Amino acid sequence: MCGRYTLSKTPSEIMEAFPVTIPEILDPNYNLAPTQNGLVITADEPGIAQKMHFGLIPYWAADTKLSMSTINARSEEVLEKKTWKPLIEHHKTCLVIADGFIEWDKKTGVSIPWRFVLKDRDLFAFAGLWSQWKGKTGEIYRSFSIMTTEANEIVGEVHSPKNRMPVILDPHNYNFWLDKELAPSALLSVCKPYPDSNMENYRLSTEINAAAIKGIVNNNPQLIQPINSL
């Protein structure tokens, strides 16, 4: 699964990596948790990167209270589940922009955080699905979920025994995932484990474990520094 990730790059760095504009103010997030705003590129509006809430609220939900089961969508099950099936059938696909993600090693009974990054590029995109919820008074709440697949070896060593990881897309598959002409089965063909050889990880301080402290978002650059450099 992927319940926490990072997007610490500047808007100019993001726009250099992705051919989009960013119409909103964007602050770096070193500890991006569910309900917070992430940055996504949708199949409906591929020319802009827009903020949406991490943790999908289906359009038919009674309110915007997040169920933690919707932060991720298991790629093997999206065509079987009522939350995900209409989204992928109606091409509500998106790229979730990130520069790393966090998983916890819990094998010793203590949650030890590790950050995973790519060796060949600072910015990348998860495959995602998004939805728009509209309240009775007209309020709009846009949200997204990150697709997951079986873990590769480097992630599986930490994320055990569940052995899941987010779907990280190769750049040549960005347009593919956003292609509104492709069948759902074709889209899902890219939901595979990312190659181990292109990834690396390092241990973080447990200070990152809390998404917020006394109601204040826990977000600062030190959170993603390797523990041996703290």
Side-chain angles (χ1 to χ4, degrees):
M1 65 176 292
C2 180
R4 205 81 61 85
Y5 70 97
T6 62
L7 181 54
S8 62
K9 304 303 180 185
T10 65
S12 60
E13 289 173 313
I14 294 170
M15 289 187 288
E16 184 176 345
F18 295 88
V20 295
T21 58
I22 303 177
E24 302 176 89
I25 295 174
L26 181 70
D27 296 320
N29 197 324
Y30 307 93
N31 191 16
L32 207 160
T35 74
Q36 295 179 14
N37 279 318
L39 193 67
V40 305
I41 303 168
T42 70
D44 288 349
E45 299 175 276
I48 65 172
Q50 55 190 298
K51 293 180 180 178
M52 289 189 190
H53 295 277
F54 179 24
L56 190 134
I57 303 298
Y59 72 91
W60 41 260
D63 54 40
T64 58
K65 184 177 180 180
L66 175 64
S67 167
M68 295 303 289
S69 64
T70 62
I71 63 174
N72 294 152
R74 294 175 65 96
S75 58
E76 304 91 336
E77 299 177 356
V78 293
L79 291 177
E80 304 169 5
K81 304 292 185 179
K82 73 171 187 176
T83 300
W84 315 119
K85 183 178 180 181
L87 296 179
I88 197 161
E89 287 183 337
H90 289 88
H91 293 89
K92 296 302 181 183
T93 56
C94 64
L95 305 178
V96 181
I97 302 174
D99 57 18
F101 66 96
I102 316 300
E103 295 291 358
W104 281 265
D105 186 343
K106 302 179 181 181
K107 293 188 286 293
T108 63
V110 179
S111 295
I112 304 299
W114 291 79
R115 184 174 185 235
F116 293 83
V117 296
L118 302 191
K119 293 179 179 179
D120 60 343
R121 49 201 161 103
D122 292 332
L123 281 155
F124 56 88
F126 302 123
L129 296 173
W130 72 279
S131 181
Q132 177 172 290
W133 180 91
K134 187 174 183 179
K136 294 180 180 179
T137 59
E139 67 270 31
I140 299 295
Y141 188 95
R142 287 184 165 189
S143 58
F144 67 90
S145 178
I146 295 171
M147 303 286 288
T148 67
T149 186
E150 294 181 5
N152 58 21
E153 186 174 348
I154 190 173
V155 178
E157 289 176 353
V158 172
H159 196 244
S160 174
K162 293 184 179 179
N163 292 321
R164 303 291 297 176
M165 70 176 295
V167 173
I168 301 171
L169 295 171
D170 285 322
H172 67 266
N173 281 329
Y174 290 167
N175 289 337
F176 185 94
W177 183 248
L178 299 182
D179 192 330
K180 300 185 75 169
E181 300 300 320
L182 294 175
S185 58
L187 294 173
L188 292 170
S189 68
V190 300
C191 294
K192 299 176 180 179
Y194 201 74
D196 290 272
S197 59
N198 293 343
M199 296 182 66
E200 57 188 2
N201 65 354
Y202 59 88
R203 184 174 169 178
L204 302 176
S205 165
T206 55
E207 291 181 9
I208 201 171
N209 290 8
I213 300 174
K214 295 182 179 180
I216 300 175
V217 173
N218 184 25
N219 178 33
N220 65 77
Q222 288 72 37
L223 294 175
I224 61 170
Q225 293 301 309
I227 194 169
N228 59 2
S229 68
L230 296 175

